[in-house]
Amino acid sequence: LEADEIATGSFKITATPETLTLRGAHVKAAQLQLGYVQSQQLTFTAKDSTFEIGQFRDFSHPAVFENCTITGTPDTYQTHWMFGTTARSSTSRSAEVTLKGGSMTSGNASCDFQVGAYGCPKSDTLTLTDGAAVSTHGWPAIGRFAGATGTINVVHGTFTQTHEEKYINVGEDGHGTLNVGSQGVVTTRGRLLGATATAANINYWGEVNVEPGGVLNVGWINGGANMAANHKALNVNGGTIRASNSSPS
């Protein structure tokens, strides 16, 4: 899609062994799906494009958004944004989503932002670099359900959770990792949890790594309920942890 073209309705990209590139496009859709359960490889790149999306869902292939503006649409953005597929299939590929610059704003307080949503055999990753900025007002979850593995890398950019009564779940019922790199800033007005799984799901893991030059702004840190001591880790490897303006509740 070249400049000024608009896609409306549902924009569903099924995998083919090809590359799809959008340049200067305007995409407006209730859902943006990439791949779903297909076993073929698809590489998706968007440059200098604008997206008005109700829901990101079933991202299961490599995708790069370069200098793009991605915004949840007011009428439909209450639904969850999922990086990773909802289909638990051995043929599902990993979500490998990279934001190079630009911005992504998702959801209101009812909208989850999930990386590694469901229990698929592959891991899912979201990487922020080149000054990319992500903002969500709902519940960010990394490793959402049992069997899921998710990672967020904030290498050079910002990841902000703006609701003081919400928090970032790192390893909720699955395996979650949050890496804050040398030019990364992660801010939550509420809590940062290493994990908060149910007692029945004991094989989950939460890890937060703050590298030199990285900054973690947080209201308070909770190791998570029902979590074994060796399944949670906060590693400050020369980075900085600061208290945000919120207070514990």
Side-chain angles (χ1 to χ4, degrees), residues 189-218:
R189 295 185 63 192
R191 297 176 287 176
L192 177 76
L193 270 73
T196 179
T198 61
N201 297 322
I202 61 173
N203 296 316
Y204 53 91
W205 193 288
E207 181 177 349
V208 178
N209 301 299
V210 188
E211 303 300 329
V215 178
L216 174 62
N217 300 308
V218 61

Side-chain angles (χ1 to χ4, degrees), residues 35 152 166 190-191 196 222 244:
I152 293 182
K166 309 292 185 180
R191 297 176 287 176
T196 179
N222 185 339
S244 64

Side-chain angles (χ1 to χ4, degrees), residues 120-180:
C120 297
K122 309 295 192 301
S123 61
D124 302 310
T125 304
L126 173 66
T127 299
L128 280 59
T129 188
D130 296 342
V134 171
S135 177
T136 177
H137 201 56
W139 298 89
I142 311 171
R144 172 63 180 91
F145 293 108
T149 300
T151 301
I152 293 182
N153 300 310
V154 186
V155 180
H156 175 196
T158 60
F159 186 98
T160 305
Q161 190 280 325
T162 58
H163 197 299
E164 65 183 17
E165 295 181 1
K166 309 292 185 180
Y167 44 83
I168 300 176
N169 278 320
V170 185
E172 185 167 359
D173 273 334
H175 288 212
T177 303
L178 172 63
N179 297 314
V180 188

Side-chain angles (χ1 to χ4, degrees), residues 16 47-48 56 79 124 152 158 163:
T16 60
K47 297 181 179 180
D48 304 316
F56 271 77
T79 53
D124 302 310
I152 293 182
T158 60
H163 197 299

